[in-house]
């Protein structure tokens, strides 16, 4: 679990948020200042344990034919570099539950909703880009709470490779009437992982708890 905060300028309310997830399903990646040697050692122990589970999996427990093995040190360093490159208000949560394909980095963003009900599709990435087919747009599952779209799309990059993006946005009204948008975003070139992990990305929205600072 990690706190988040966003303090818009002017008289706007100060948002507070937390991400209620725990290993071994998810890992909240801290910024450089909070990635202490003790935290790093604990994360590497967790990664080593998951590697062993993957290594011991047999038969139908292997979701992917190649059975590739994750290197814990490289995986952790890559996550920390990704986290360091994010904007100050964004957080990084890594999915650890997909065998031989973890950690899968999901960016979580929280902010005040714009006036009116426009912009949710744009925020969820349903427009623009170079899609190879029309992006799929669905509504948030009821258990997530709030309202908003789920967008799954496939785009060509400059090198001709196909990237998949799963993005979901939840707009909710807090107890004082403040409207807040929460977005989760995951991108990958490993297209066979999308059917396995895409629903978990959307479910992550339910773990982001927002409020207004007193």
């Amino acid at each position: 679990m990690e706190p988040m905060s966003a303090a818009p300028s002017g008289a706007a309310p100060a948002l507070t948020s937390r991400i209620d997830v725990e290993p071994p399903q998810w890992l909240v990646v801290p910024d450089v200042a909070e990635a202490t040697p003790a935290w790093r050692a604990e994360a590497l122990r967790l990664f080593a344990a998951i590697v062993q589970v993957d290594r011991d999996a047999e038969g139908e427990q292997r979701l992917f034919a190649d059975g590739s093995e994750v290197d814990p040190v490289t995986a952790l360093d890559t996550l920390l570099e990704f986290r360091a490159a994010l904007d100050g208000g964004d957080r990084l949560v890594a999915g650890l539950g997909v065998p031989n394909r973890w950690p899968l980095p999901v960016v979580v963003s929280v902010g005040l909703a714009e006036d009116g009900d426009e912009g949710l599709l744009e925020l969820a990435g349903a427009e623009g880009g170079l899609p190879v087919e029309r992006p799929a747009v669905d509504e948030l599952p009821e258990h997530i709470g709030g309202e908003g779209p789920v967008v799954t799309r496939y785009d060509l990059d400059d090198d001709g490779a196909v990237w998949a993006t799963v993005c979901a946005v939840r707009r909710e009204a807090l107890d004082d009437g403040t409207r807040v948008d929460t977005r989760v975003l995951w991108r990958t070139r490993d297209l066979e992982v999308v059917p396995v992990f895409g629903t978990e990305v959307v479910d992550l929205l339910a773990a982001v708890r927002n409020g207004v600072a007193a």
Side-chain angles (χ1 to χ4, degrees):
M1 179 175 72
E2 177 175 304
M4 303 168 59
S5 63
S9 60
L15 299 181
T16 61
S17 297
R18 68 180 190 274
I19 306 174
D20 286 339
V21 293
E22 299 290 346
Q25 190 69 21
W26 296 98
L27 177 69
V28 178
V29 182
D31 61 23
V32 174
E34 296 173 333
T36 63
W39 180 90
R40 183 182 177 88
E42 185 62 29
L44 288 175
R45 281 193 291 270
L46 172 64
F47 283 12
I50 299 174
V51 166
Q52 190 61 52
V53 170
D54 289 348
R55 188 179 295 151
D56 294 341
E58 297 180 354
E60 294 181 356
Q61 293 178 322
R62 282 197 173 275
L63 294 183
F64 304 103
D66 61 7
S68 60
E69 187 168 294
V70 176
D71 177 71
V73 174
T74 300
L76 186 58
D77 288 344
T78 300
L79 284 176
L80 291 171
E81 290 173 4
F82 193 152
R83 174 65 180 88
L86 294 179
D87 292 337
D90 293 339
R91 295 294 181 267
L92 186 66
V93 184
L96 306 179
V98 180
N100 307 117
R101 290 298 192 273
W102 58 274
L104 299 172
V106 181
V107 178
V108 179
S109 308
V110 179
L112 293 176
E114 299 292 338
D115 292 337
D117 295 324
E118 303 298 326
L120 283 177
L121 285 175
E122 181 179 0
L123 188 59
E127 304 167 359
L130 293 171
V132 298
E133 59 187 30
R134 186 180 182 87
V137 180
D138 299 296
E139 294 184 358
L140 281 178
E142 187 174 345
H143 72 273
I144 300 297
E147 60 181 9
V150 177
V151 176
T152 303
R153 59 181 296 153
Y154 296 86
D155 291 86
L156 287 173
D157 67 13
D158 292 339
D159 297 322
V162 178
W163 284 81
T165 303
V166 178
C167 184
V169 176
R170 178 189 66 196
R171 176 164 290 174
E172 61 181 326
L174 304 183
D175 290 342
D176 70 342
T178 301
R179 297 198 308 163
V180 178
D181 288 340
T182 305
R183 185 182 71 173
V184 293
L185 173 67
W186 170 59
R187 301 188 72 216
T188 183
R189 290 174 59 177
D190 196 349
L191 305 185
E192 65 180 345
V193 181
V194 177
V196 179
F197 189 59
T199 56
E200 294 187 30
V201 174
V202 178
D203 286 344
L204 180 60
L205 268 177
V208 183
R209 314 289 186 179
N210 299 317
V212 179

